[in-house]
C-alpha cells in the first residue's frame, strides 16, 4: 500500500493538510496521527470495514476493543446509551485530555470497534491536530496506538514510519506526544467505577471528583512487589521491545550495585536522572522518583531506542505505583513480562 506522508504543524494546522486527512478517513482509509497521549491509528469508528483495516495493519487481536475519539460533547450522546452523572463530572474536569470512559454503547457502534462488547471506550483528546481532523471530518474516530501490536506504542512520527509505513494510507508528521503513555481507562458501565488502565489522569485525581474507584487486578497484573516473579511467557508480554526487560525495585544505591554486577556490552539501564553517574553500562535517565511524568513521556522512545542499538537486556528502575508512576509501572511490568526483582 502506498503511504502518504502529511506534515501538519500543531500551531498552524494547515487547512489543506487537515482536508487531505479528513478526506482519506471519510473514504474509509486509515491514518496514523498525533494525540497528546501517543500517536493513534485512526479510522471512521462507525465504518466496520475501515475499522477492520486498523486491526489488519497493527496485527491486533480482534477481541481487543478500540477507543472512540470525539471533539464535542454532543458526539457523546450519539455513541453512548447511558451517561451517568459521574461521567458528566469527569468530562467537565478532564476533557479534553487523557481520560477514556467506558460506557454502554449505542447500536451505531459496530462490533468491530467494540470487539463485540456492549460497551465502548470514549475519549475527547486535547491534541490540536486530532481535534481539527475530528471536527473537519465530522467523524468519531476509532484510534488505538499506532504501533504493531505488542510493540511499544509510538510517540513520534518516526516511530509510526518504523512500524506502519506501507501498511496505512497516510502518516501525519507532527511533534512528539506530550503525555507519552496511553490514556487512563475508567469503566462507568458497571456497578462501581473501575480503573482498567492507568494513564496520565491519575486514580487520585479521579477519586477527588467521584470518590472511591476499584482497581482492576489487571492494572498491577500478577506482579507482587514483595517477591521475585518469573516471566510467565509471551502471552502476557506487551509494550515490549525485542530486548529482555527486568524491572528492579529498590533504592538507587542497591539498583546501581545490581546493574553493575550484571554489566556487559549488550546491557543497558533505564534509570532516574542522576543515577546514571554510578552505572557502568549505557544508561537512559528519565524523570525522578518524585516526577514520574517525565519518565512516562520518554518511556516508549527509550524502549525503541534500546532495540535500535541492539541492546539485549534492559534493567529498568521501578517507579512507585502511585500517581503517574502507576501508569509507568503498569507498562514496564508488561514490557518485562512480569520479571520483577526486589532488592
Ligand atoms: P489502545 O487503543 O491500543 O490503547 O487500546 C485500547 C484499550 O482500551 C483496550 O486494550 C482496553 O484495555 C481498553 N478499552 C477500550 N474499550 C473498552 C471497553 N469497551 N471495555 C473495556 N476496555 C476497553
Ligand atoms: Mg495499544
Amino acid at each position: 500500500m502506498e503511504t502518504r506522508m502529511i506534515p501538519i504543524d500543531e500551531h498552524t494546522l494547515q487547512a489543506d493538510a487537515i482536508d487531505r486527512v479528513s478526506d482519506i478517513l471519510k473514504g474509509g482509509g486509515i491514518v496514523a496521527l498525533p494525540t497528546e497521549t501517543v500517536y493513534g491509528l485512526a479510522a471512521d469508528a462507525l465504518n466496520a470495514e475501515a475499522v477492520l483495516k486498523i486491526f489488519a495493519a497493527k496485527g491486533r487481536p480482534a477481541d481487543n476493543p478500540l477507543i472512540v475519539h470525539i471533539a464535542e460533547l454532543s458526539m457523546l450522546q450519539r455513541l453512548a446509551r447511558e451517561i451517568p452523572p459521574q461521567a458528566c463530572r469527569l468530562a467537565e474536569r478532564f476533557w479534553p485530555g487523557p481520560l477514556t470512559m467506558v460506557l454502554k454503547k449505542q447500536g451505531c457502534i459496530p462490533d468491530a470497534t467494540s470487539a463485540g462488547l456492549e460497551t465502548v471506550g470514549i475519549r475527547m483528546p486535547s491534541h490540536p491536530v486530532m481535534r481539527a481532523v475530528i471536527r473537519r471530518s465530522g467523524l468519531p474516530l476509532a484510534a488505538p496506538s499506532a504501533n504493531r501490536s505488542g510493540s511499544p506504542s509510538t510517540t513520534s512520527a518516526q516511530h509510526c514510519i518504523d512500524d506502519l509505513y506501507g501498511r496505512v494510507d497516510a502518516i501525519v508528521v507532527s511533534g512528539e506526544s506530550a503525555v507519552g503513555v496511553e490514556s487512563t481507562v475508567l469503566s462507568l458501565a458497571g456497578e462501581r467505577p473501575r480503573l482498567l488502565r492507568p494513564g496520565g489522569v491519575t486514580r487520585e485525581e479521579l477519586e477527588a471528583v467521584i470518590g472511591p474507584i476499584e482497581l482492576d487486578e489487571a492494572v498491577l497484573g500478577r506482579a507482587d512487589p514483595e517477591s521475585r516473579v518469573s516471566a510467565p511467557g509471551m502471552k502476557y508480554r506487551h509494550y515490549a521491545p525485542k530486548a529482555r526487560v527486568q524491572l528492579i525495585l529498590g533504592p538507587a544505591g542497591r539498583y546501581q550495585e545490581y546493574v553493575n554486577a550484571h554489566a556487559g556490552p549488550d546491557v543497558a539501564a533505564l534509570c532516574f536522572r542522576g543515577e546514571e553517574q554510578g552505572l557502568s553500562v549505557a544508561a537512559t535517565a528519565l524523570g525522578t522518583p518524585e516526577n514520574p511524568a517525565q519518565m512516562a513521556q520518554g518511556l516508549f522512545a527509550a524502549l525503541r531506542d534500546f532495540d535500535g542499538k541492539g541492546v539485549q537486556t534492559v534493567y529498568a528502575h521501578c517507579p512507585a505505583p502511585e500517581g503517574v508512576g502507576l501508569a509507568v509501572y503498569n507498562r514496564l511490568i508488561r514490557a518485562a513480562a512480569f520479571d520483577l526483582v526486589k532488592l
Side-chain angles (χ1 to χ4, degrees):
M1 175 190 297
E2 193 201 334
T3 300
R4 280 171 279 177
M5 306 299 285
I6 306 180
I8 303 181
D9 182 289
E10 67 174 277
H11 302 291
T12 51
L13 298 174
Q14 302 91 317
D16 55 334
I18 299 285
D19 281 350
R20 282 176 71 198
V21 174
S22 165
D23 287 346
I24 294 169
L25 293 166
K26 285 196 284 188
I30 57 174
V31 181
L33 79 191
T35 87
E36 74 276 23
T37 56
V38 298
Y39 270 65
L41 180 57
D44 175 356
L46 306 185
N47 177 343
E49 210 179 304
V51 164
L52 289 173
K53 291 182 192 168
I54 294 179
F55 284 88
K58 283 180 59 84
R60 184 178 176 101
D63 63 357
N64 195 353
L66 305 184
I67 291 168
V68 178
H69 297 75
I70 61 175
E72 321 285 345
L73 275 178
S74 58
M75 271 185 171
L76 183 61
Q77 269 107 41
R78 281 168 46 207
L79 303 174
R81 194 152 48 78
E82 276 172 39
I83 304 169
Q86 293 152 320
C88 299
R89 296 200 340 250
L90 291 171
E92 203 172 302
R93 171 73 178 77
F94 297 109
W95 279 1
L99 173 66
T100 296
M101 291 191 272
V102 173
L103 302 168
K104 298 204 172 103
K105 75 168 189 176
Q106 294 274 23
C108 63
I109 308 263
D111 279 344
T113 300
S114 62
L117 298 173
E118 283 310 306
T119 56
V120 60
I122 302 175
R123 179 167 99 84
M124 188 189 288
S126 67
H127 197 288
V129 172
M130 184 66 163
R131 287 174 72 75
V133 170
I134 298 171
R135 286 215 169 102
R136 184 77 187 116
S137 64
L139 300 173
L141 295 180
S145 49
N147 55 303
R148 293 299 296 270
S149 205
S151 297
S153 296
T154 48
T155 55
S156 74
Q158 185 59 51
H159 297 160
C160 298
I161 295 167
D162 294 343
D163 271 29
L164 297 173
Y165 192 84
R167 308 181 67 87
V168 299
D169 294 293
I171 295 173
V172 171
V173 180
S174 200
E176 277 179 27
S177 296
V179 178
V181 291
E182 306 83 347
S183 60
T184 304
V185 179
L186 179 75
S187 173
L188 294 172
E191 285 205 348
R192 281 182 290 275
R194 195 170 177 81
L195 188 70
L196 303 182
R197 179 175 73 184
V201 174
T202 66
R203 178 190 191 178
E204 294 84 348
E205 289 173 315
L206 295 170
E207 288 187 328
V209 178
I210 60 165
I213 290 169
E214 289 178 357
L215 203 60
D216 195 271
E217 47 287 2
V219 169
L220 294 170
R222 313 163 338 99
D224 171 9
E226 294 309 308
S227 65
R228 198 199 142 103
V229 180
S230 61
M234 296 301 287
K235 192 166 115 187
Y236 297 100
R237 216 154 173 257
H238 197 32
Y239 308 106
K242 296 188 193 81
R244 169 180 162 247
V245 179
Q246 191 171 60
L247 199 49
I248 316 292
L249 189 67
R254 300 290 296 278
Y255 167 74
Q256 288 161 325
E257 269 170 38
Y258 181 89
V259 174
N260 291 339
H262 292 80
D266 304 331
V267 173
L270 179 62
C271 62
F272 293 112
R273 263 191 271 126
E275 293 175 347
E276 69 274 29
Q277 275 116 35
L279 292 171
S280 60
V281 304
T284 299
L286 292 174
T288 60
E290 296 74 37
N291 190 351
Q294 288 178 4
M295 186 176 253
Q297 204 277 326
L299 179 67
F300 291 135
L303 293 179
R304 284 174 172 267
D305 213 38
F306 289 133
D307 281 345
K309 292 180 177 139
V311 169
Q312 299 295 311
T313 306
V314 177
Y315 295 109
H317 200 177
C318 187
E322 54 200 44
V324 179
L326 183 63
V328 176
Y329 177 89
N330 170 272
R331 305 312 187 273
L332 275 176
I333 196 71
R334 279 164 181 74
F338 297 92
D339 187 1
L340 176 77
V341 174
K342 191 187 176 212
L343 300 175

